[in-house]
């Protein structure tokens, strides 16, 4: 077994170890044997139906959501960083997260709240619509703009426009609506219940798998647009497809979980440093596993009783603590790190 396979195996083992820890972590302590009995349907302990509800309806979907969302955002960040040949490219930088936030802000402005089943559906619909419209605008520009740097700047400017519109909507909204929007913007992996988990899982896994065939094209893009064209890569078509996949992954996660920051920006760099490689045939699975681990770790920290005091810490209060040191390290050692 070579070094890369060993690291991938260790990441997978760590993921398997962390998941049961997450099931036992929360405001109510439930031992591992009881958790297993609850999942297998053989639980007859003191908690009864309450314990079953906590594990099956609360912790299990939240942990699965965190795992899949972390994977999806990390892959989205990897695609963008390679497409733009820029270590600071990411889902939030391209304005897609801001577009989703604008969609949610419009929903809140219209309905005044995002509580209840219909409120949740409206929020998801608004976020998806905002993210996909923003993505459509970027793809439209990509037809006419061949420079990756210019396209990145256009995405940043679109994000600024969305943020400006959000500020105006919040200014004219009620205090209750602004409070609802702020809570959504903090990010959470607990918003996906068992009823939505199948759809969320199908979308994130399918879109992630669709990136695998593009590993060879991504490797060619690392050497520049001219090299990629010389080896037969249709740069415009491939870039548009990768942006569509990256934007769709971001849109799905943002719609259900809110605008989660830093996972898409920092995790691809963690994967590159661990694997000591820029080969996307290795990086795609490594980034997916590292993203899943980071999402899972953030969820466990957010509900840890010693930190959250019985509540839930917003995910966006945790991701910068992990992500910022990674980005600073990459920027300080950019000449030594030879991925770009």
């Amino acid at each position: 077994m070579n070094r890369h396979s060993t690291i991938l195996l260790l990441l997978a083992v760590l993921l398997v170890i962390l998941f049961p820890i997450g099931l036992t972590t929360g405001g109510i302590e439930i031992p591992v044997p009881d958790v297993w009995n609850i999942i297998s349907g053989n639980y007859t302990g003191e908690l009864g139906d309450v314990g079953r509800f906590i594990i099956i309806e609360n912790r299990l979907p939240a942990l699965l959501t965190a795992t899949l969302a972390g994977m999806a955002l990390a892959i989205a960040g990897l695609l963008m960083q390679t497409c733009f040949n820029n270590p600071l490219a990411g889902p939030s930088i391209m304005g897609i997260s801001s577009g989703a936030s604008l969609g949610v802000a419009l929903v809140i402005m219209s309905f005044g709240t995002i509580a209840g089943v219909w409120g949740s559906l409206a929020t998801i619909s608004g976020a998806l619509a905002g993210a996909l419209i923003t993505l459509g605008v970027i793809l439209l520009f990509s037809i006419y703009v061949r420079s990756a740097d210019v396209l990145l700047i256009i995405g940043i400017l679109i994000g600024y426009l969305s943020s400006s519109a959000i500020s105006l909507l919040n200014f004219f909204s009620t205090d209750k609506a602004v409070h609802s929007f702020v809570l959504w913007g903090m990010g959470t992996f607990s918003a996906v219940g068992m009823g939505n988990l199948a759809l969320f899982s199908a979308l994130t896994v399918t879109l992630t798998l669709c990136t695998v065939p593009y590993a060879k094209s991504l490797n060619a893009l690392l050497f520049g647009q001219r090299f990629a064209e010389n080896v037969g890569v249709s740069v415009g078509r491939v870039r548009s497809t990768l942006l569509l996949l990256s934007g769709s992954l971001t849109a799905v996660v943002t719609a259900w979980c809110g605008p989660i920051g830093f996972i898409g920006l920092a995790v691809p760099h963690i994967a590159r440093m661990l694997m000591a490689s820029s080969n996307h045939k290795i990086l795609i699975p490594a980034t997916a596993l590292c993203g899943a681990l980071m999402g899972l770790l953030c969820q466990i920290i957010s509900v840890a009783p010693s930190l959250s005091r019985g509540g839930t810490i917003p995910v966006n209060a945790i991701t910068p603590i992990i992500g910022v040191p990674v980005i600073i390290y990459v920027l300080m050692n950019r000449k030594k790190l030879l991925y770009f």
Side-chain angles (χ1 to χ4, degrees), residues 16-218:
V16 172
I17 292 172
L18 272 181
F19 204 89
I21 294 174
L23 288 173
T24 62
T25 304
I28 298 177
E29 184 178 348
I30 303 177
V32 174
D34 289 346
V35 170
W36 173 252
N37 288 331
I38 288 171
I39 293 175
S40 62
N42 299 321
Y43 184 67
T44 58
E46 294 180 2
L47 289 175
D49 292 337
V50 175
R52 190 174 294 108
F53 177 83
I54 291 171
I55 297 299
I56 302 299
E57 299 295 333
N58 190 314
R59 293 183 187 176
L60 182 60
L63 290 170
L64 289 172
T65 300
T67 303
L68 294 172
M71 173 192 74
L73 290 174
I75 291 295
L78 175 67
L79 298 181
M80 287 189 176
Q81 288 172 9
T82 302
C83 279
F84 296 111
N85 200 27
N86 191 316
L88 295 181
S92 56
I93 302 297
M94 285 300 295
I96 297 170
S97 295
S98 296
S101 298
L102 178 57
V104 173
L106 287 170
V107 169
I108 294 173
M109 188 71 172
S110 301
F111 300 103
T113 181
I114 57 175
V117 176
W118 292 109
S120 298
L121 290 174
T123 303
I124 292 168
S125 300
L128 279 173
L132 293 176
I133 290 171
T134 304
L135 177 61
V137 173
I138 294 172
L139 289 175
L140 183 63
F141 275 108
S142 71
I143 297 173
Y144 304 100
V145 177
R146 295 185 63 83
S147 171
D149 291 337
V150 174
L151 194 59
L152 180 62
I153 293 170
I154 290 172
I156 294 171
L157 293 175
I158 292 172
Y160 279 124
L161 283 175
S162 298
S163 298
S164 177
I166 291 169
S167 297
L168 289 172
L169 287 172
N170 283 334
F171 179 79
F172 291 106
S173 295
T174 63
D175 291 343
K176 184 178 180 181
V178 172
H179 179 70
S180 297
F181 179 77
V182 170
L183 288 178
W184 177 83
M186 290 180 178
T188 179
F189 294 129
S190 301
V192 181
M194 290 301 291
N196 297 323
L197 185 59
L199 177 60
F200 181 81
S201 302
L203 289 171
T204 51
V205 172
T206 301
L207 289 169
T208 299
L209 290 176
C210 286
T211 66
V212 175
Y214 288 94
K216 186 176 179 181
S217 298
L218 287 164

Side-chain angles (χ1 to χ4, degrees), residues 273 276 329-340:
M273 287 185 280
Y329 178 82
V330 169
L331 292 175
M332 295 294 292
N333 296 274
R334 192 173 179 181
K335 292 182 179 180
K336 298 178 183 179
L337 301 173
L338 304 177
Y339 2 113
F340 295 102

